[in-house]
Amino acid sequence: MLIHINQERRQFHLTNGQVSYIFHVMKNGHLGHLYYGKALRHREDFSHLQTYDVPTGATTHIYADDPAFGLETLRQEYPAYGNSDFREPAFSVNKLTENHIPDFSYQSYQLLEGKPRLEGLPATYTEDNAEASTLQIILKDEFLHAELSLTYTIFRDKPVITRSASLKNIGTEELMIDRFMGASLDLPDKDFMMVHLAGTWSRERHVKERMLEMGIQSISSLRGASSHHHNPFLALKRPEATEHTGEVYGFNFIYSSNFLMQVEVDHYDTARLMVGIHPFRFKWNVKPQSSFQSPEVVMVFSDQGLNGMSQAFHRLYRDHLIQTQWKKAVRPILINNWEATYFDFNEEKMVNIAKSASELGIELLVLDDGWFGKRNDDTSSLGDWHVDLNKLPNGLESLANKIMETGMKFGLWFEPEMISPNSELFREHPEWAVGVPGQHYTLGRNQLVLDFSRQDIVDYLYDKMSAIIKETNLAYIKWDMNRNMTEAFSQKLEVQQQGEFFHRYILGVYQLYERLTSEFPRVLFESCAGGGGRFDPGMMYYAPQAWTSDDTDAIERLKIQYGTSFAYPLYSMGSHVSAIPNHQTLRKAPLETRANTAYFGTFGYELDPLKLTEEERKEIKDQVAFYKEHRNLIRDGQFYRLLSPFANNETAWMVVSEDRSEALVGWYKVLATPNPKKHQTLRLSGLDESKAYQVAGTEQTYYGDELMIVGLMLPTEFNGVNGGNFERGGDFQSQVFYLKGTENIVN
Ligand code: DGJ
């Protein structure tokens, strides 16, 4: 049993032996929070876990005869504002005509096996009811004639609980929501480091940390996308927790638009965490007999450090978020022509690239931006989804066939959500662009955004894209999105409904994804937003891989991929080997290092194979063969971060197979050290202590405990005088070690 319910005391305990989440109904009928963390033994009564003490000082209390009962000091599940809690609330809702302080009281609960889907929204799912249990709590506000439903799902074999909320208007008058979080969590203390992922274009998801302090600390996006700048991920870790040990709570929001994740620390040092749609500019009119559903919040608890937290996210997304057909599918090694040609290509060039790449063992060719309309640079044609016959005179179908004749699959780039002012579509339908009529339209990369809150526009894109998928027998689509939203206004919505725009827009995007992925389940989607500007679990539900960053520099990618791995599995990260000097940093990392970084993701190339030397071609052939040999391990294995690029000149990480019989270790050193230390080792993780592992390419075997306690010996480094006797040296060096378990110790 995953959910214990004490009906008499009205207490709820969700536990799977790894985590416990406990709450109850308080005397005012609201839900009070009791505990969240490492699993507790179940008992009949947990009410003593609620601190219940008469507060000193200027505090408020609800009942004349009970000065200890004030919402300012009680931990709650989904707090409101207005009657004695002065912190920011989880929600705010009212009638349009009369004022009222929300007062939702417990009505009933419902217990479900498995997990219901969220209508129109990406969310985790179960395939078998035994994988999870769900508890829905219904609360009611008699004055508003509204039902608030809080949904909690606990997964059987993972330290994961998901939450969401919905509000149903059961009356006859319209209601207006202007704040509606997916989850709120009151923690009893503030002794946490807040860890989050921040950056910008070409340096996304760098790891940031700060201690919680009294006041509000938050990360957010108001860009109409989850953004390059803040990822909808946040962790609270105990200060002493490391990658390998200690307590960490991780939160991820399954949403791709404006979000808010905040922690409010009050004067008693309690910490209130909140995750949801950003309330700024958000308003939702809930018509009688209709509902509003929040997106889902994923909550992970780990007592095995940050790696434990990440592994739980990775497993959850592999088993319960990524679409079924991609869970175990082999992701093709692809070559993308963007950095090879930019807009300057034609059929002959593409076919030659395909032939040359196919000889190297590469499996899929992606034709990136510039194949449609008259797009020779980024100033035109978005929206004109018909082939440019100047570049591809025989059409797309012919190109696709020629590519497939080389033995490669064919993939295509789209940016469906955009419209160029210089396009046939804009000339025909200027009102399809997002913007306030009569006001200036701000450009981003010379383009405007299509109003995806409109059904007719979503339908139009569906028709265009599905026709091309059929015509070309597409195996893959890169769905790009290269600007954030300004003048967010839909010409189809009433003025008083414009607060719904951002959310309606992303629902339109989700709908198009849903229709295309269900109609064409064999097409692999890779999401992209100027690189990693929408790398979030909402997108991952439809597109199992995402272009991690436009920055393909292997050294910068150490930071980006390290940070991304906090929440997202390796095989969701598009990672490619590109040419040098690198187009984003001008850095010249060796080809070996470029591949050694890119292996830890969904591997590919972003260069012109026709410009390679024979020696480079040989090396790339070997890289492709190496990845093919190990890609199942990279897809299914447990990932461990070992050395952080944010703290060290060295980075290291590894993947261990579930049965711990093999592992792949990546080690990287950014700058060379003169006269380096003699004894250089790398301590590994996750191995079987009693198994002997052979390091591929050497005769050396180590036992698992040696590798984890003493470490893997790193090959001899150049020290200025060891002439021909060194195995590595120089800047940007790296090595990937494959360890194969050979035998168990016989005692
Ligand atoms: C941004 C993407 O991240 C790139 O990979 C490329 O597809 C360009 N857009 C094309 O315009």
Side-chain angles (χ1 to χ4, degrees):
M1 190 172 21
L2 296 175
I3 301 178
H4 302 266
I5 297 168
N6 184 331
Q7 301 209 34
E8 194 191 329
R9 295 181 198 280
R10 302 201 291 185
Q11 289 180 8
F12 304 88
H13 180 195
L14 291 77
T15 185
N16 56 10
Q18 300 185 57
V19 295
S20 277
Y21 191 100
I22 309 171
F23 60 94
H24 68 159
V25 180
M26 301 189 294
K27 69 192 257 186
N28 65 344
H30 297 190
L31 294 185
H33 179 75
L34 293 173
Y35 173 78
Y36 173 42
K38 194 175 167 69
L40 297 180
R41 179 176 326 194
H42 183 63
R43 54 185 290 171
E44 268 309 287
D45 186 9
F46 283 108
S47 52
H48 56 285
L49 296 181
Q50 178 71 283
T51 343
Y52 195 64
D53 187 16
V54 181
T56 51
T59 50
T60 49
H61 52 98
I62 295 190
Y63 304 107
D65 61 351
D66 187 359
F69 195 87
L71 299 179
E72 186 172 357
T73 48
L74 288 168
R75 282 183 284 140
Q76 297 163 71
E77 277 303 299
Y78 201 70
Y81 176 81
N83 57 351
S84 83
D85 188 341
F86 300 96
R87 291 165 289 179
E88 291 206 350
F91 70 106
S92 166
V93 55
N94 227 324
K95 290 188 183 178
L96 301 181
T97 48
E98 281 170 282
N99 213 6
H100 173 67
I101 302 299
D103 188 15
F104 282 88
S105 300
Y106 174 80
Q107 296 295 305
S108 60
Y109 71 85
Q110 207 191 345
L111 205 50
L112 306 162
E113 285 315 306
K115 182 172 190 295
R117 299 247 177 187
L118 296 190
E119 182 71 29
L121 283 168
T124 56
Y125 62 87
T126 49
E127 281 174 338
D128 179 334
N129 279 348
E131 292 167 346
S133 294
T134 298
L135 174 66
Q136 268 172 346
I137 303 287
I138 314 291
L139 304 120
K140 193 170 169 190
D141 186 311
E142 300 291 351
F143 175 84
L144 292 177
H145 298 292
E147 270 180 9
L148 178 64
S149 155
L150 303 182
T151 302
Y152 301 77
T153 296
I154 179 162
F155 287 84
R156 182 169 298 282
D157 61 353
K158 296 179 175 66
V160 178
I161 287 172
T162 59
R163 286 185 58 179
S164 69
S166 73
L167 188 110
K168 186 169 180 197
N169 183 344
I170 52 172
T172 51
E173 277 185 63
E174 293 180 15
L175 298 175
M176 187 63 89
I177 295 180
D178 50 21
R179 183 181 180 98
F180 203 68
M181 293 286 143
S184 170
L185 175 69
D186 285 351
L187 292 160
D189 68 85
K190 70 156 180 54
D191 198 14
F192 290 105
M193 190 94 111
M194 168 168 148
V195 184
H196 59 107
L197 306 171
T200 182
W201 176 81
S202 86
R203 52 178 165 82
E204 297 92 338
R205 290 175 299 286
H206 283 205
V207 178
K208 306 282 176 194
E209 293 185 346
R210 56 183 126 147
M211 282 304 291
L212 291 186
E213 252 320 325
M214 188 168 159
I216 293 179
Q217 34 261 289
S218 69
I219 55 166
S220 63
S221 167
L222 286 171
R223 295 170 174 270
S226 48
S227 89
H228 295 88
H229 310 81
H230 289 290
N231 194 263
F233 159 84
L234 184 149
L236 294 177
K237 85 174 181 83
R238 292 295 182 192
E240 67 282 1
T242 67
E243 284 285 10
H244 307 281
T245 58
E247 290 190 351
V248 184
Y249 295 88
F251 305 90
N252 207 191
F253 192 35
I254 306 187
Y255 194 55
S256 313
S257 185
N258 294 356
F259 73 90
L260 174 66
M261 297 179 102
Q262 74 173 35
V263 188
E264 178 168 2
V265 176
D266 74 358
H267 47 289
Y268 288 117
D269 281 352
T270 61
R272 168 171 293 174
L273 174 119
M274 233 169 242
V275 181
I277 295 177
H278 203 302
F280 181 71
R281 285 285 311 269
F282 170 77
K283 270 194 195 311
W284 198 274
N285 188 327
V286 193
K287 302 252 169 0
Q289 304 310 311
S290 70
S291 305
F292 182 76
Q293 171 67 53
S294 83
E296 181 168 273
V297 179
V298 178
M299 313 198 304
V300 165
F301 171 78
S302 157
D303 59 356
Q304 287 154 46
L306 288 161
N307 273 320
M309 171 202 71
S310 301
Q311 288 161 3
F313 278 120
H314 298 176
R315 286 276 171 266
L316 180 80
Y317 293 161
R318 185 197 64 182
D319 298 344
H320 303 288
L321 184 72
I322 283 170
Q323 299 201 349
T324 308
Q325 68 273 27
W326 297 112
K327 285 180 181 175
K328 286 280 175 188
V330 169
R331 305 286 177 76
I333 299 177
L334 65 84
I335 185 158
N336 180 305
N337 73 310
W338 179 240
E339 288 194 12
T341 67
Y342 293 102
F343 294 100
D344 182 19
F345 58 82
N346 55 32
E347 183 180 291
E348 195 190 346
K349 205 174 204 172
M350 289 312 298
V351 173
N352 286 339
I353 288 178
K355 275 188 195 146
S356 171
S358 168
E359 286 161 16
L360 300 172
I362 297 172
E363 299 158 313
L364 185 145
L365 178 119
V366 182
L367 174 56
D368 209 281
D369 194 355
W371 56 266
F372 50 90
K374 295 190 178 69
R375 190 158 162 95
N376 297 315
D377 55 35
D378 62 17
T379 60
S380 82
S381 303
L382 291 168
D384 298 343
W385 298 111
H386 51 78
V387 69
D388 178 355
L389 291 172
N390 287 322
K391 285 182 192 168
L392 305 171
N394 303 311
L396 269 185
E397 189 180 354
S398 150
L399 174 70
N401 288 335
K402 287 182 185 155
I403 303 282
M404 288 187 279
E405 276 161 26
T406 70
M408 305 268 278
K409 291 179 175 162
F410 182 52
L412 210 50
W413 179 97
F414 285 91
E415 197 176 1
E417 297 156 70
M418 297 294 151
I419 180 165
S420 304
N422 180 11
S423 66
E424 292 159 25
L425 188 66
F426 188 77
R427 285 185 279 277
E428 206 178 314
H429 283 298
E431 78 287 2
W432 281 18
V434 171
V436 182
Q439 266 197 288
H440 181 70
Y441 282 36
T442 303
L443 294 169
R445 205 197 188 199
N446 304 304
Q447 64 204 46
L448 299 172
V449 183
L450 275 173
D451 181 356
F452 261 55
S453 71
R454 288 174 58 156
Q455 189 60 46
D456 54 345
I457 295 182
V458 173
D459 292 344
Y460 176 84
L461 267 304
Y462 173 78
D463 291 344
K464 289 281 170 205
M465 290 176 79
S466 52
I468 293 171
I469 295 172
K470 286 182 198 147
E471 178 193 344
T472 54
N473 207 355
L474 271 190
Y476 164 107
I477 286 180
K478 178 174 172 186
W479 179 322
D480 205 348
M481 196 278 292
N482 280 294
R483 65 158 292 182
N484 292 145
M485 248 173 269
T486 53
E487 294 92 24
F489 183 94
S490 167
Q491 299 197 23
K492 264 276 168 85
L493 291 174
E494 301 295 326
V495 173
Q496 62 276 17
Q497 262 189 305
Q498 295 296 333
E500 300 179 10
F501 173 73
F502 279 112
H503 187 59
R504 284 193 182 276
Y505 176 94
I506 203 69
L507 291 180
V509 172
Y510 290 152
Q511 188 204 120
L512 182 56
Y513 257 121
E514 180 70 43
R515 287 164 71 183
L516 291 172
T517 51
S518 36
E519 167 108 21
F520 306 103
R522 300 279 148 237
V523 177
L524 172 63
F525 281 78
E526 178 153 348
S527 76
C528 173
R534 213 162 52 178
F535 201 120
D536 58 61
M539 284 290 129
M540 198 181 297
Y541 176 78
Y542 305 102
Q545 58 195 59
W547 184 221
T548 316
S549 174
D550 270 350
D551 197 329
T552 55
D553 172 49
I555 300 304
E556 172 55 29
R557 274 296 187 114
L558 294 175
K559 289 186 174 154
I560 296 173
Q561 292 175 206
Y562 193 94
T564 305
S565 78
F566 271 54
Y568 309 106
L570 292 190
Y571 79 143
S572 66
M573 295 183 214
S575 54
H576 301 169
V577 173
S578 60
I580 50 166
N582 176 267
H583 292 202
Q584 293 75 38
T585 60
L586 299 181
R587 193 174 275 133
K588 295 182 185 166
L591 183 52
E592 185 187 13
T593 291
R594 284 177 269 153
N596 284 347
T597 304
Y599 288 145
F600 291 83
T602 54
F603 190 60
Y605 289 84
E606 191 92 11
L607 46 68
D608 187 347
L610 303 166
K611 292 190 179 144
L612 296 169
T613 64
E614 263 321 298
E615 208 179 318
E616 287 168 329
R617 285 182 68 80
K618 191 175 165 316
E619 198 173 334
I620 288 183
K621 244 187 188 168
D622 291 345
Q623 293 174 351
V624 168
F626 179 85
Y627 189 77
K628 285 182 181 168
E629 205 178 320
H630 300 297
R631 61 180 156 192
N632 289 355
L633 168 61
I634 293 165
R635 182 191 63 203
D636 301 333
Q638 192 89 284
F639 183 64
Y640 291 85
R641 290 177 298 270
L642 302 174
L643 293 175
S644 166
F646 298 100
N648 305 292
N649 186 31
E650 290 171 51
T651 299
W653 49 44
M654 66 187 285
V655 190
V656 186
S657 65
E658 241 159 345
D659 65 0
R660 297 189 289 172
S661 66
E662 53 172 349
L664 202 64
V665 181
W667 172 87
Y668 314 83
K669 180 163 179 176
V670 176
L671 295 179
T673 319
N675 194 7
K677 61 182 185 182
K678 298 285 159 261
H679 189 73
Q680 294 190 38
T681 55
L682 173 67
R683 287 169 80 167
L684 306 185
S685 264
L687 299 172
D688 181 342
E689 289 174 0
S690 59
K691 202 181 263 307
Y693 292 90
Q694 171 144 28
V695 183
T698 74
E699 293 301 305
Q700 189 61 51
T701 55
Y702 300 86
Y703 284 110
D705 60 351
E706 285 174 61
L707 288 167
M708 294 190 288
I709 297 166
V710 183
L712 173 72
M713 275 310 176
L714 293 174
T716 316
E717 188 169 5
F718 177 70
N719 66 8
V721 293
N722 56 359
N725 267 335
F726 62 90
E727 292 149 296
R728 60 189 171 89
D731 292 343
F732 319 133
Q733 43 178 299
S734 67
Q735 194 149 337
V736 167
F737 305 87
Y738 174 64
L739 309 180
K740 178 82 189 145
T742 56
E743 53 175 296
N744 275 63
I745 300 173
V746 182
N747 287 313

